[in-house]
Amino acid sequence: MFVQRMEKMSQLIQNLENLSDYTSTNITGFKKILKKFDKNMEAKVTRELWELIADQKFAKSEMDEVLLQQAKQQWRKRIPQVSLEPENELLVVDNEDAPTVNNLDLDALPGGQVSRLWVALSQDGISTHVRVPVMVAKGVKAGPIVGITAALHGNELNGIPLIHRLLREINCRHLHGTLVAVTCANVPGYLRSQRGYSDGTDLNRVMPGKKNGTAAQVYAYNLMDRIISKLECLLDLHTASKGRINSLYVRADMLNPRTRKMASLQNPQIIVHNTSPDGSLRQAAMERGIAAITVEIGDPSRVQKRFVKNALLGVTNILCHFKMIPHEPDLPEYEPIVCSRSYWVFADKGGLLNVIPEIFTWVRRGEPIAYLYNLFGGLVESYYSPEDGIIIGKSVDPVCESGSRILHLGVVDSQFAAASHDGHL
């Protein structure tokens, strides 16, 4: 009976949050309409009209916000305490700096603290475990199981220090639920400073893998089966690929209410509606009912403190939204640009490439975006923006051959397609 009441209370709070978001959106929309009216009609009537709008019931939401916060606090206080002792025995294969296990058993880990362990996913040619490092922050009360993965592409590193900082700052005695962080999901690629697995295979194109397949497929299968399948939500942290740079942006299915909310809470510069390509970790997770988004955090093969700090704020917002930590989401200073679709512009010739626009800037249809030169300094080709859009990412490698990428263009339309992806490889 108590559990049923808590579930009903949780659903009520969720409905109130949705209503609050809707009210906030209406207020913001009215302000923008009035501002554009003043600008285009050269009539300063914003103050007068806003007084009329402010008299409406939906605009008087301060007390509603206070009551909502009080309801959240009461809900948190009444969540039952969970046992701090593990329910199962941890089956250890090896025990060096951290124990090695064949399967992530969350019930075998103690509550109220962070556990560090290795999870074996396959074996190499000398029968040594190929394993991934996992950090598990287990709270003292029941709650969601949220996962974070970093370095699924071995040279995309910004997610690693983000996880380290998050786990240092989190207080498990105040945590509701469990946070599972795979600090390096592609250890063979990480050791080789390369994007792909040991054989070069892109792990983000073979998910959910195969139990009996190639080395990369077996590794991907066991990653899904032994770790990802335990989750309820997933944040997959990436960066740009070698020779490219990115803005801070999120790829998410904006038609899915859960992933749409996660994307907005992440506070990125740009959100791209993307239903995920075949074989990606995000798609494999979504097919299992795990709400998943991809967070692109800057550039490869380096650690960028500014990007890490901003992305960490977004991750914390998501944990706040799931009521896992006792804080409120930190609202961004600006609204993200929401792109209904995006795609890459490719070069059809080879030479030395000079891409003109900076990331997170707008371009107009027909505006020059790149010039291609031969080794004698002659202009080979000029490239122009095919339509209005925003620069999500671009190539910074001047060595260009036919089929090389120039830039990633985001387009803002009024509707989201049922299936959309950017051909991202």
Short mmCIF file of all heavy atoms in Angstrom, two decimals, residues 90 97-106 109 113-121 130-138 145-150 160 163-164 167 178-187 219 222-224 226-228 230-231 234:
data_model
loop_
_atom_site.label_atom_id
_atom_site.label_comp_id
_atom_site.label_asym_id
_atom_site.label_seq_id
_atom_site.Cartn_x
_atom_site.Cartn_y
_atom_site.Cartn_z
N LEU A 90 29.74 -10.96 -3.93
CA LEU A 90 30.43 -10.52 -5.13
C LEU A 90 31.37 -11.62 -5.60
O LEU A 90 32.28 -12.05 -4.87
CB LEU A 90 31.23 -9.24 -4.84
CG LEU A 90 31.86 -8.54 -6.04
CD1 LEU A 90 30.76 -8.00 -6.95
CD2 LEU A 90 32.77 -7.40 -5.59
N ASP A 97 44.17 -3.74 -7.94
CA ASP A 97 43.78 -2.45 -7.39
C ASP A 97 42.28 -2.37 -7.17
O ASP A 97 41.79 -1.61 -6.34
CB ASP A 97 44.25 -1.31 -8.30
CG ASP A 97 43.74 -1.48 -9.73
OD1 ASP A 97 43.49 -2.62 -10.13
OD2 ASP A 97 43.64 -0.46 -10.44
N ALA A 98 41.55 -3.18 -7.93
CA ALA A 98 40.10 -3.31 -7.77
C ALA A 98 39.71 -4.71 -8.22
O ALA A 98 40.38 -5.30 -9.07
CB ALA A 98 39.38 -2.25 -8.61
N PRO A 99 38.65 -5.28 -7.65
CA PRO A 99 38.27 -6.64 -8.03
C PRO A 99 37.81 -6.73 -9.48
O PRO A 99 37.24 -5.78 -10.01
CB PRO A 99 37.14 -6.98 -7.07
CG PRO A 99 36.59 -5.66 -6.63
CD PRO A 99 37.76 -4.73 -6.61
N THR A 100 38.06 -7.86 -10.11
CA THR A 100 37.59 -8.15 -11.46
C THR A 100 36.44 -9.15 -11.37
O THR A 100 36.56 -10.17 -10.71
CB THR A 100 38.70 -8.73 -12.34
OG1 THR A 100 39.75 -7.77 -12.47
CG2 THR A 100 38.18 -9.08 -13.73
N VAL A 101 35.32 -8.82 -12.04
CA VAL A 101 34.15 -9.69 -12.03
C VAL A 101 33.73 -9.96 -13.47
O VAL A 101 34.10 -9.22 -14.39
CB VAL A 101 32.98 -9.07 -11.25
CG1 VAL A 101 33.36 -8.85 -9.79
CG2 VAL A 101 32.55 -7.74 -11.87
N ASN A 102 32.95 -11.01 -13.67
CA ASN A 102 32.46 -11.35 -15.00
C ASN A 102 31.12 -10.72 -15.31
O ASN A 102 30.66 -10.76 -16.46
CB ASN A 102 32.34 -12.87 -15.15
CG ASN A 102 33.67 -13.52 -15.46
OD1 ASN A 102 34.50 -12.94 -16.15
ND2 ASN A 102 33.88 -14.73 -14.96
N ASN A 103 30.47 -10.16 -14.28
CA ASN A 103 29.14 -9.59 -14.48
C ASN A 103 28.92 -8.52 -13.43
O ASN A 103 29.33 -8.67 -12.27
CB ASN A 103 28.07 -10.67 -14.37
CG ASN A 103 26.69 -10.18 -14.79
OD1 ASN A 103 26.53 -9.59 -15.86
ND2 ASN A 103 25.70 -10.41 -13.95
N LEU A 104 28.28 -7.42 -13.80
CA LEU A 104 28.00 -6.35 -12.86
C LEU A 104 26.73 -6.70 -12.08
O LEU A 104 25.63 -6.57 -12.60
CB LEU A 104 27.83 -5.02 -13.59
CG LEU A 104 27.55 -3.80 -12.70
CD1 LEU A 104 28.70 -3.56 -11.74
CD2 LEU A 104 27.28 -2.57 -13.55
N ASP A 105 26.91 -7.12 -10.84
CA ASP A 105 25.79 -7.47 -9.96
C ASP A 105 25.63 -6.34 -8.95
O ASP A 105 26.35 -6.26 -7.96
CB ASP A 105 26.07 -8.79 -9.25
CG ASP A 105 24.88 -9.27 -8.41
OD1 ASP A 105 23.89 -8.52 -8.31
OD2 ASP A 105 24.97 -10.37 -7.84
N LEU A 106 24.68 -5.46 -9.19
CA LEU A 106 24.51 -4.29 -8.33
C LEU A 106 24.06 -4.69 -6.92
O LEU A 106 24.34 -3.97 -5.95
CB LEU A 106 23.50 -3.32 -8.96
CG LEU A 106 23.91 -2.72 -10.31
CD1 LEU A 106 22.80 -1.83 -10.86
CD2 LEU A 106 25.21 -1.93 -10.19
N LEU A 109 26.85 -5.16 -4.28
CA LEU A 109 27.66 -4.01 -3.88
C LEU A 109 27.02 -3.30 -2.70
O LEU A 109 25.79 -3.20 -2.61
CB LEU A 109 27.81 -3.05 -5.06
CG LEU A 109 28.47 -3.62 -6.32
CD1 LEU A 109 28.48 -2.59 -7.43
CD2 LEU A 109 29.88 -4.09 -6.02
N GLN A 113 28.12 4.14 -0.59
CA GLN A 113 29.52 4.35 -0.95
C GLN A 113 29.74 4.09 -2.43
O GLN A 113 28.86 3.59 -3.13
CB GLN A 113 30.43 3.46 -0.11
CG GLN A 113 30.28 1.97 -0.40
CD GLN A 113 31.15 1.11 0.51
OE1 GLN A 113 30.97 1.10 1.73
NE2 GLN A 113 32.08 0.40 -0.08
N VAL A 114 30.95 4.46 -2.90
CA VAL A 114 31.35 4.23 -4.28
C VAL A 114 32.20 2.97 -4.35
O VAL A 114 33.18 2.83 -3.62
CB VAL A 114 32.14 5.42 -4.84
CG1 VAL A 114 32.63 5.12 -6.26
CG2 VAL A 114 31.29 6.68 -4.84
N SER A 115 31.81 2.03 -5.20
CA SER A 115 32.58 0.81 -5.42
C SER A 115 33.31 0.91 -6.75
O SER A 115 32.78 1.45 -7.72
CB SER A 115 31.66 -0.42 -5.44
OG SER A 115 30.98 -0.57 -4.21
N ARG A 116 34.54 0.41 -6.77
CA ARG A 116 35.36 0.43 -7.98
C ARG A 116 35.72 -1.01 -8.34
O ARG A 116 36.23 -1.75 -7.50
CB ARG A 116 36.63 1.27 -7.77
CG ARG A 116 36.32 2.73 -7.50
CD ARG A 116 37.52 3.50 -6.96
NE ARG A 116 37.22 4.92 -6.80
CZ ARG A 116 36.58 5.45 -5.77
NH1 ARG A 116 36.18 4.65 -4.76
NH2 ARG A 116 36.35 6.75 -5.70
N LEU A 117 35.47 -1.38 -9.59
CA LEU A 117 35.74 -2.75 -10.01
C LEU A 117 35.98 -2.80 -11.51
O LEU A 117 35.69 -1.86 -12.25
CB LEU A 117 34.60 -3.67 -9.61
CG LEU A 117 33.19 -3.40 -10.17
CD1 LEU A 117 32.37 -4.68 -10.16
CD2 LEU A 117 32.46 -2.36 -9.33
N TRP A 118 36.56 -3.90 -11.93
CA TRP A 118 36.75 -4.20 -13.35
C TRP A 118 35.71 -5.23 -13.75
O TRP A 118 35.44 -6.18 -13.01
CB TRP A 118 38.14 -4.78 -13.60
CG TRP A 118 39.28 -3.84 -13.33
CD1 TRP A 118 39.98 -3.73 -12.17
CD2 TRP A 118 39.86 -2.92 -14.26
NE1 TRP A 118 40.96 -2.79 -12.30
CE2 TRP A 118 40.91 -2.26 -13.58
CE3 TRP A 118 39.60 -2.57 -15.57
CZ2 TRP A 118 41.70 -1.30 -14.17
CZ3 TRP A 118 40.37 -1.60 -16.17
CH2 TRP A 118 41.42 -0.97 -15.49
N VAL A 119 35.13 -5.06 -14.94
CA VAL A 119 34.20 -6.06 -15.48
C VAL A 119 34.84 -6.67 -16.73
O VAL A 119 35.13 -5.95 -17.70
CB VAL A 119 32.83 -5.44 -15.82
CG1 VAL A 119 31.91 -6.51 -16.42
CG2 VAL A 119 32.19 -4.82 -14.58
N ALA A 120 35.08 -7.96 -16.69
CA ALA A 120 35.69 -8.66 -17.82
C ALA A 120 34.67 -8.86 -18.94
O ALA A 120 33.54 -9.29 -18.68
CB ALA A 120 36.24 -10.01 -17.36
N LEU A 121 35.07 -8.53 -20.17
CA LEU A 121 34.16 -8.65 -21.31
C LEU A 121 34.62 -9.69 -22.33
O LEU A 121 33.81 -10.18 -23.11
CB LEU A 121 34.01 -7.28 -22.01
CG LEU A 121 33.44 -6.15 -21.16
CD1 LEU A 121 33.28 -4.88 -22.00
CD2 LEU A 121 32.11 -6.53 -20.53
N VAL A 130 40.08 -9.03 -21.08
CA VAL A 130 39.90 -7.68 -21.61
C VAL A 130 38.74 -7.09 -20.82
O VAL A 130 37.61 -7.56 -20.91
CB VAL A 130 39.58 -7.69 -23.12
CG1 VAL A 130 39.40 -6.27 -23.63
CG2 VAL A 130 40.67 -8.40 -23.89
N ARG A 131 39.00 -6.08 -20.01
CA ARG A 131 38.03 -5.62 -19.02
C ARG A 131 37.89 -4.11 -19.05
O ARG A 131 38.75 -3.40 -19.56
CB ARG A 131 38.47 -6.09 -17.62
CG ARG A 131 39.89 -5.71 -17.31
CD ARG A 131 40.44 -6.37 -16.07
NE ARG A 131 41.74 -5.77 -15.73
CZ ARG A 131 42.34 -5.84 -14.56
NH1 ARG A 131 41.77 -6.54 -13.60
NH2 ARG A 131 43.48 -5.25 -14.34
N VAL A 132 36.79 -3.63 -18.49
CA VAL A 132 36.52 -2.19 -18.44
C VAL A 132 36.39 -1.75 -16.98
O VAL A 132 35.88 -2.49 -16.14
CB VAL A 132 35.24 -1.82 -19.22
CG1 VAL A 132 35.41 -2.10 -20.70
CG2 VAL A 132 34.02 -2.56 -18.67
N PRO A 133 36.85 -0.53 -16.67
CA PRO A 133 36.72 0.00 -15.31
C PRO A 133 35.33 0.56 -15.08
O PRO A 133 34.80 1.32 -15.89
CB PRO A 133 37.78 1.11 -15.27
CG PRO A 133 37.89 1.56 -16.69
CD PRO A 133 37.60 0.38 -17.56
N VAL A 134 34.74 0.18 -13.95
CA VAL A 134 33.39 0.62 -13.61
C VAL A 134 33.39 1.18 -12.19
O VAL A 134 33.96 0.59 -11.28
CB VAL A 134 32.37 -0.53 -13.71
CG1 VAL A 134 30.96 -0.05 -13.36
CG2 VAL A 134 32.38 -1.15 -15.10
N MET A 135 32.75 2.33 -12.04
CA MET A 135 32.56 2.94 -10.72
C MET A 135 31.06 2.99 -10.44
O MET A 135 30.29 3.46 -11.28
CB MET A 135 33.18 4.34 -10.67
CG MET A 135 34.65 4.37 -11.01
SD MET A 135 35.32 6.04 -11.17
CE MET A 135 35.34 6.57 -9.46
N VAL A 136 30.66 2.50 -9.28
CA VAL A 136 29.24 2.43 -8.93
C VAL A 136 29.01 3.21 -7.64
O VAL A 136 29.55 2.85 -6.59
CB VAL A 136 28.77 0.98 -8.76
CG1 VAL A 136 27.29 0.95 -8.38
CG2 VAL A 136 29.01 0.17 -10.02
N ALA A 137 28.23 4.28 -7.73
CA ALA A 137 27.80 5.03 -6.55
C ALA A 137 26.41 4.54 -6.19
O ALA A 137 25.46 4.77 -6.94
CB ALA A 137 27.80 6.53 -6.84
N LYS A 138 26.31 3.87 -5.05
CA LYS A 138 25.04 3.28 -4.64
C LYS A 138 24.50 4.06 -3.44
O LYS A 138 25.19 4.21 -2.43
CB LYS A 138 25.23 1.81 -4.28
CG LYS A 138 23.94 1.01 -4.16
CD LYS A 138 24.22 -0.47 -4.04
CE LYS A 138 22.94 -1.28 -3.95
NZ LYS A 138 23.21 -2.73 -3.82
N ILE A 145 18.35 3.75 -11.70
CA ILE A 145 19.71 3.28 -12.02
C ILE A 145 20.13 3.99 -13.30
O ILE A 145 19.62 3.70 -14.38
CB ILE A 145 19.75 1.76 -12.20
CG1 ILE A 145 19.22 1.05 -10.96
CG2 ILE A 145 21.17 1.30 -12.51
CD1 ILE A 145 19.06 -0.45 -11.12
N VAL A 146 21.02 4.94 -13.17
CA VAL A 146 21.47 5.76 -14.29
C VAL A 146 22.90 5.41 -14.64
O VAL A 146 23.75 5.27 -13.76
CB VAL A 146 21.36 7.27 -13.95
CG1 VAL A 146 21.96 8.13 -15.05
CG2 VAL A 146 19.90 7.65 -13.71
N GLY A 147 23.17 5.24 -15.93
CA GLY A 147 24.50 4.88 -16.39
C GLY A 147 25.14 5.98 -17.21
O GLY A 147 24.46 6.76 -17.89
N ILE A 148 26.47 6.06 -17.12
CA ILE A 148 27.27 6.98 -17.94
C ILE A 148 28.41 6.19 -18.55
O ILE A 148 29.11 5.46 -17.84
CB ILE A 148 27.84 8.14 -17.10
CG1 ILE A 148 26.74 8.87 -16.33
CG2 ILE A 148 28.61 9.11 -17.98
CD1 ILE A 148 27.27 9.96 -15.42
N THR A 149 28.59 6.30 -19.84
CA THR A 149 29.70 5.64 -20.52
C THR A 149 30.59 6.69 -21.18
O THR A 149 30.09 7.67 -21.73
CB THR A 149 29.22 4.64 -21.59
OG1 THR A 149 28.29 5.31 -22.46
CG2 THR A 149 28.52 3.45 -20.95
N ALA A 150 31.89 6.47 -21.11
CA ALA A 150 32.85 7.37 -21.75
C ALA A 150 33.82 6.55 -22.58
O ALA A 150 34.03 5.36 -22.32
CB ALA A 150 33.60 8.20 -20.71
N ILE A 160 35.96 11.06 -19.50
CA ILE A 160 36.64 10.39 -18.38
C ILE A 160 36.81 11.32 -17.19
O ILE A 160 36.39 10.98 -16.07
CB ILE A 160 37.99 9.79 -18.85
CG1 ILE A 160 37.75 8.75 -19.94
CG2 ILE A 160 38.73 9.17 -17.67
CD1 ILE A 160 39.03 8.17 -20.53
N ILE A 163 33.48 12.02 -15.40
CA ILE A 163 33.05 10.96 -14.48
C ILE A 163 33.86 11.03 -13.19
O ILE A 163 33.30 10.91 -12.08
CB ILE A 163 33.19 9.58 -15.15
CG1 ILE A 163 32.14 9.43 -16.25
CG2 ILE A 163 33.04 8.46 -14.11
CD1 ILE A 163 32.29 8.16 -17.08
N HIS A 164 35.17 11.22 -13.29
CA HIS A 164 36.01 11.30 -12.09
C HIS A 164 35.51 12.40 -11.16
O HIS A 164 35.38 12.21 -9.95
CB HIS A 164 37.46 11.58 -12.48
CG HIS A 164 38.12 10.43 -13.16
ND1 HIS A 164 39.32 10.53 -13.81
CD2 HIS A 164 37.75 9.12 -13.28
CE1 HIS A 164 39.66 9.36 -14.32
NE2 HIS A 164 38.71 8.49 -14.02
N LEU A 167 32.00 11.62 -9.55
CA LEU A 167 32.06 10.62 -8.47
C LEU A 167 32.79 11.15 -7.23
O LEU A 167 32.55 10.69 -6.12
CB LEU A 167 32.73 9.34 -8.98
CG LEU A 167 31.81 8.26 -9.59
CD1 LEU A 167 30.88 7.68 -8.54
CD2 LEU A 167 31.00 8.81 -10.75
N THR A 178 21.10 4.52 -7.92
CA THR A 178 22.45 4.04 -8.22
C THR A 178 22.96 4.70 -9.50
O THR A 178 22.24 4.82 -10.48
CB THR A 178 22.45 2.51 -8.41
OG1 THR A 178 21.92 1.89 -7.22
CG2 THR A 178 23.86 1.99 -8.66
N LEU A 179 24.22 5.11 -9.45
CA LEU A 179 24.89 5.68 -10.61
C LEU A 179 26.00 4.72 -11.03
O LEU A 179 26.90 4.41 -10.25
CB LEU A 179 25.48 7.05 -10.26
CG LEU A 179 26.25 7.77 -11.37
CD1 LEU A 179 25.32 8.11 -12.53
CD2 LEU A 179 26.90 9.03 -10.83
N VAL A 180 25.93 4.25 -12.28
CA VAL A 180 26.91 3.31 -12.82
C VAL A 180 27.72 4.04 -13.90
O VAL A 180 27.16 4.49 -14.89
CB VAL A 180 26.22 2.06 -13.42
CG1 VAL A 180 27.27 1.12 -14.03
CG2 VAL A 180 25.40 1.34 -12.37
N ALA A 181 29.01 4.15 -13.70
CA ALA A 181 29.86 4.89 -14.63
C ALA A 181 30.95 3.99 -15.19
O ALA A 181 31.78 3.46 -14.44
CB ALA A 181 30.49 6.09 -13.93
N VAL A 182 30.93 3.80 -16.52
CA VAL A 182 32.00 3.07 -17.21
C VAL A 182 32.98 4.13 -17.70
O VAL A 182 32.72 4.82 -18.69
CB VAL A 182 31.44 2.25 -18.38
CG1 VAL A 182 32.55 1.43 -19.05
CG2 VAL A 182 30.32 1.32 -17.91
N THR A 183 34.11 4.27 -17.01
CA THR A 183 35.00 5.39 -17.30
C THR A 183 35.71 5.23 -18.64
O THR A 183 36.11 6.22 -19.25
CB THR A 183 36.05 5.56 -16.20
OG1 THR A 183 36.75 4.32 -16.01
CG2 THR A 183 35.39 5.95 -14.89
N CYS A 184 35.87 4.00 -19.11
CA CYS A 184 36.48 3.77 -20.43
C CYS A 184 35.85 2.52 -21.02
O CYS A 184 36.21 1.40 -20.64
CB CYS A 184 38.00 3.62 -20.30
SG CYS A 184 38.84 3.37 -21.88
N ALA A 185 34.92 2.71 -21.94
CA ALA A 185 34.16 1.58 -22.49
C ALA A 185 34.92 0.83 -23.59
O ALA A 185 34.51 -0.25 -23.98
CB ALA A 185 32.82 2.07 -23.03
N ASN A 186 35.99 1.41 -24.09
CA ASN A 186 36.79 0.77 -25.15
C ASN A 186 38.26 0.81 -24.75
O ASN A 186 39.03 1.63 -25.25
CB ASN A 186 36.56 1.49 -26.49
CG ASN A 186 37.39 0.90 -27.63
OD1 ASN A 186 38.07 -0.12 -27.48
ND2 ASN A 186 37.36 1.55 -28.78
N VAL A 187 38.64 -0.06 -23.83
CA VAL A 187 40.01 -0.06 -23.31
C VAL A 187 41.03 -0.40 -24.40
O VAL A 187 42.07 0.26 -24.50
CB VAL A 187 40.12 -1.02 -22.11
CG1 VAL A 187 41.58 -1.22 -21.71
CG2 VAL A 187 39.33 -0.48 -20.93
N TYR A 219 32.79 -8.48 -27.73
CA TYR A 219 33.05 -7.43 -26.72
C TYR A 219 31.81 -6.55 -26.56
O TYR A 219 31.37 -6.25 -25.44
CB TYR A 219 34.25 -6.61 -27.17
CG TYR A 219 34.71 -5.54 -26.22
CD1 TYR A 219 35.73 -5.78 -25.31
CD2 TYR A 219 34.16 -4.26 -26.27
CE1 TYR A 219 36.19 -4.78 -24.45
CE2 TYR A 219 34.60 -3.25 -25.42
CZ TYR A 219 35.61 -3.51 -24.52
OH TYR A 219 36.06 -2.52 -23.68
N ASN A 222 28.91 -8.42 -24.77
CA ASN A 222 29.11 -8.56 -23.32
C ASN A 222 29.01 -7.21 -22.61
O ASN A 222 28.57 -7.15 -21.46
CB ASN A 222 30.45 -9.23 -23.03
CG ASN A 222 30.44 -10.71 -23.38
OD1 ASN A 222 29.39 -11.35 -23.29
ND2 ASN A 222 31.56 -11.24 -23.79
N LEU A 223 29.40 -6.13 -23.27
CA LEU A 223 29.21 -4.80 -22.69
C LEU A 223 27.71 -4.54 -22.47
O LEU A 223 27.30 -4.05 -21.41
CB LEU A 223 29.81 -3.73 -23.60
CG LEU A 223 29.64 -2.28 -23.15
CD1 LEU A 223 30.41 -2.01 -21.88
CD2 LEU A 223 30.08 -1.31 -24.26
N MET A 224 26.91 -4.87 -23.47
CA MET A 224 25.46 -4.69 -23.35
C MET A 224 24.88 -5.62 -22.29
O MET A 224 24.08 -5.20 -21.45
CB MET A 224 24.78 -4.97 -24.70
CG MET A 224 25.00 -3.92 -25.77
SD MET A 224 24.25 -2.32 -25.40
CE MET A 224 22.54 -2.79 -25.13
N ARG A 226 26.35 -7.46 -19.79
CA ARG A 226 26.88 -7.50 -18.42
C ARG A 226 26.80 -6.16 -17.70
O ARG A 226 26.91 -6.12 -16.47
CB ARG A 226 28.34 -7.99 -18.45
CG ARG A 226 28.46 -9.39 -19.02
CD ARG A 226 29.92 -9.86 -19.09
NE ARG A 226 30.00 -11.17 -19.74
CZ ARG A 226 31.13 -11.85 -19.89
NH1 ARG A 226 32.27 -11.35 -19.44
NH2 ARG A 226 31.12 -13.03 -20.50
N ILE A 227 26.62 -5.07 -18.45
CA ILE A 227 26.60 -3.74 -17.80
C ILE A 227 25.38 -2.93 -18.22
O ILE A 227 24.54 -2.56 -17.39
CB ILE A 227 27.89 -2.95 -18.13
CG1 ILE A 227 29.12 -3.72 -17.64
CG2 ILE A 227 27.83 -1.57 -17.47
CD1 ILE A 227 30.44 -3.07 -18.00
N ILE A 228 25.24 -2.64 -19.51
CA ILE A 228 24.22 -1.70 -19.98
C ILE A 228 22.81 -2.20 -19.67
O ILE A 228 21.92 -1.40 -19.36
CB ILE A 228 24.38 -1.44 -21.50
CG1 ILE A 228 25.79 -0.95 -21.82
CG2 ILE A 228 23.34 -0.42 -21.98
CD1 ILE A 228 26.20 0.31 -21.11
N LYS A 230 21.64 -3.42 -17.16
CA LYS A 230 21.24 -3.18 -15.77
C LYS A 230 20.65 -1.78 -15.58
O LYS A 230 20.13 -1.46 -14.51
CB LYS A 230 22.44 -3.31 -14.83
CG LYS A 230 23.43 -4.42 -15.17
CD LYS A 230 22.88 -5.79 -14.91
CE LYS A 230 23.95 -6.86 -15.20
NZ LYS A 230 23.48 -8.22 -14.96
N LEU A 231 20.74 -0.93 -16.60
CA LEU A 231 20.42 0.49 -16.45
C LEU A 231 18.98 0.80 -16.80
O LEU A 231 18.30 0.05 -17.49
CB LEU A 231 21.35 1.31 -17.35
CG LEU A 231 22.85 1.03 -17.25
CD1 LEU A 231 23.61 1.85 -18.28
CD2 LEU A 231 23.36 1.29 -15.85
N LEU A 234 20.66 6.17 -19.78
CA LEU A 234 22.06 6.15 -20.18
C LEU A 234 22.47 7.47 -20.80
O LEU A 234 21.76 8.02 -21.65
CB LEU A 234 22.32 5.02 -21.18
CG LEU A 234 23.70 4.98 -21.85
CD1 LEU A 234 24.80 4.69 -20.82
CD2 LEU A 234 23.73 3.95 -22.97
#
